[in-house]
Amino acid sequence: MRPNTSPSHERPAGAVPPSGHADTRAPFYPNHLFVEGVVALLVFALLVILACFWQVPPEEMADPSDSAYVPRPEWYFLFYFQLLKYFEGPLILVGTFVLPLLIFAALFLLPFIDRSEETRPSKRPWAMGLGLAGLLAVAGLTVVSVVQDAEHRMDLPPITEEHLAAGEDLFARFCVLCHSMNGKGGFMAPDLSQIGARVNRVYIERVILTPQIVSQTTIMSQIPLSDDERHDVSAYLARKKK
Amino acid sequence: MSKIWLFIDRRLNLSPLLREMADHRIPDHANPLKKASAFMYCFGGISFLILLLQLLTGMFLMLYYVPSPDHAYASVSYIKNEVAFGALTQNLHRVGASAAVVMVFLHMLRVYFTKSYKNPRELNWIAGVLLLLVVLGFGFTGYLLPWDQKAYWATTVGVNIIETVPWLGGFIADMLRGGDEVGALTLTRFFVIHVMFLPALLLCLLAAHFFMVRRQGISHPL
Ligand code: HEM
């Protein structure tokens, strides 16, 4: 049974609108359905192409004991992780609780907050401003995060045989007092023979710079290495996989 | 073909239903053939299409995927390296997830900037925000499933963030993890949320969303 109370804005196909002008709107079937089919095929083709070209390097299997791994979230969550970086200590609650609560409350209630009938952009400066600000914030934070990640990676010169040899010398001079390597060296600090399998090079750099990121009470001191020397050591250790 | 259709239609009287679904006209401002700016009005439909694809690729991945810490990683590499079209399916699912987030976000921006959420479409906007949360939930739970380093530690960080939320945070984090650390229970929970709870929720919300769109028609131009 067909309800006879169809809303007024949905005149049946072909009916002459009350104004007396002929209806120029395209019917859904078959015209629009065809357009939708074409768009669907295009989107599908695009996705397959993307899937062929945008690959990610394989990762190692999860190792719950390796808390040194520095994870990155999926790219569309990057803006949020970047945002959290600006809130430290107890302020983290602003990032993890207050802001999300406010933003989602505002989103849910938006139609009831912004009740005017006005839809022209020039007549709704607040809504336009807030919308653009939000959009720019998300886009900006994502870009900053991607750039910072890339910088972390770019700082490091490529690993060559020379660097590896230099790194090995430096390790023997500064590190084996405490750390052991392939059965030789000190026992005051963890064995690093397989460190490269557990953590990435950026993390090794950061530990040499600030040993406290491993633990607040570490006995490891700041090692007097130049930037280049540090890169050599991190190259050497990053290759220590098994 | 038409005989079969007649057979079915005589018994079930489907043609009025079909007519009800197909008999409507597309306003020019939302018809990309008539007005270039109407491409914005495709974003919702494209989101839907991508989600359908996710459903399909996901079902094929499930044929091989094993949600346990001992087998998850190996089953994913098996899919990528051994299964026919496995690498493509797996990568399509991963890329499709990003595409879905992008399209849903663009769709939301379209609705926001054309103010299509105003009276009488308030309820549909709310359904939309719920849909956004569901889509992000898919992304969050799906990220753990490959059980590689990135998956494990990103999820640990993510759940720790939830844990900081006052009052409910600790409870939700425990429910998600099923313990103090991300482990076997977390993986099965994320898996079931990803392939059962969220899809069920998604389909209900989409049904409501589309029902409202058809009932109310597309909003008028600016
Ligand atoms: C799973 C994600 C979603 C899908 C598949 C979806 C799909 C659709 C489709 C196909 C339409 C018809 C018009 C168009 O395509 O532009 C529509 C309309 C609408 N959507 Fe969504 N949507 C989703 C998420 C959202 C979100 C996140 C919001 C906002 C928070 C939203 C709010 C609306 C509103 C208010 C309308 C009516 C717009 C109008 O009449 O102009 N939707 N949706």
Side-chain angles (χ1 to χ4, degrees), chain A residues 120-141:
Chain A
R120 275 168 302 175
S122 58
K123 292 288 160 62
R124 38 193 297 246
W126 275 102
M128 285 290 146
L130 275 175
L132 282 179
L135 183 59
L136 284 181
V138 170
L141 285 169

Side-chain angles (χ1 to χ4, degrees), chain B residues 40-45 47-48 51 104 107-108 110-111 116-117 121 124-125 128-129 131-132 135 202 206 209-210 213 217-219:
Chain B
M40 298 188 298
Y41 289 79
C42 296
F43 294 164
S47 309
F48 179 56
L51 289 171
V104 170
H107 170 59
M108 184 170 141
R110 185 298 267 169
V111 172
S116 303
Y117 53 79
R121 297 185 177 80
N124 216 9
W125 169 266
V129 180
L131 277 168
L132 177 71
V135 170
L202 177 78
L206 282 180
H209 200 60
F210 294 158
V213 171
I218 278 297
S219 60

Side-chain angles (χ1 to χ4, degrees), chain A residues 113-189:
Chain A
I113 301 170
D114 178 17
R115 300 173 62 122
S116 83
E117 282 293 307
E118 195 55 72
T119 58
R120 275 168 302 175
S122 58
K123 292 288 160 62
R124 38 193 297 246
W126 275 102
M128 285 290 146
L130 275 175
L132 282 179
L135 183 59
L136 284 181
V138 170
L141 285 169
T142 305
V143 170
V144 171
S145 168
V146 170
V147 169
Q148 283 190 0
D149 278 0
E151 271 172 1
H152 269 305
R153 261 176 267 127
M154 270 187 329
D155 284 347
L156 302 175
I159 301 179
T160 66
E161 288 303 320
E162 267 165 71
H163 289 309
L164 288 175
E168 185 165 7
D169 281 350
L170 289 162
F171 189 87
R173 234 184 318 143
F174 292 101
C175 315
V176 281
L177 293 175
C178 302
H179 291 282
S180 58
M181 173 64 72
N182 301 333
K184 275 179 262 164
F187 50 83
M188 310 221 305

Side-chain angles (χ1 to χ4, degrees), chain A residues 12-61:
Chain A
V16 177
S19 62
H21 296 295
D23 192 348
T24 59
R25 297 171 308 162
F28 170 77
Y29 182 85
N31 303 34
H32 198 64
L33 195 63
F34 177 74
V35 177
E36 285 184 353
V38 173
V39 172
L41 283 180
L42 282 179
V43 170
F44 183 61
L46 215 71
L47 274 179
V48 172
I49 294 172
L50 253 181
C52 289
F53 288 99
W54 176 26
Q55 316 257 358
V56 287
E59 283 263 324
E60 315 229 346
M61 185 170 147

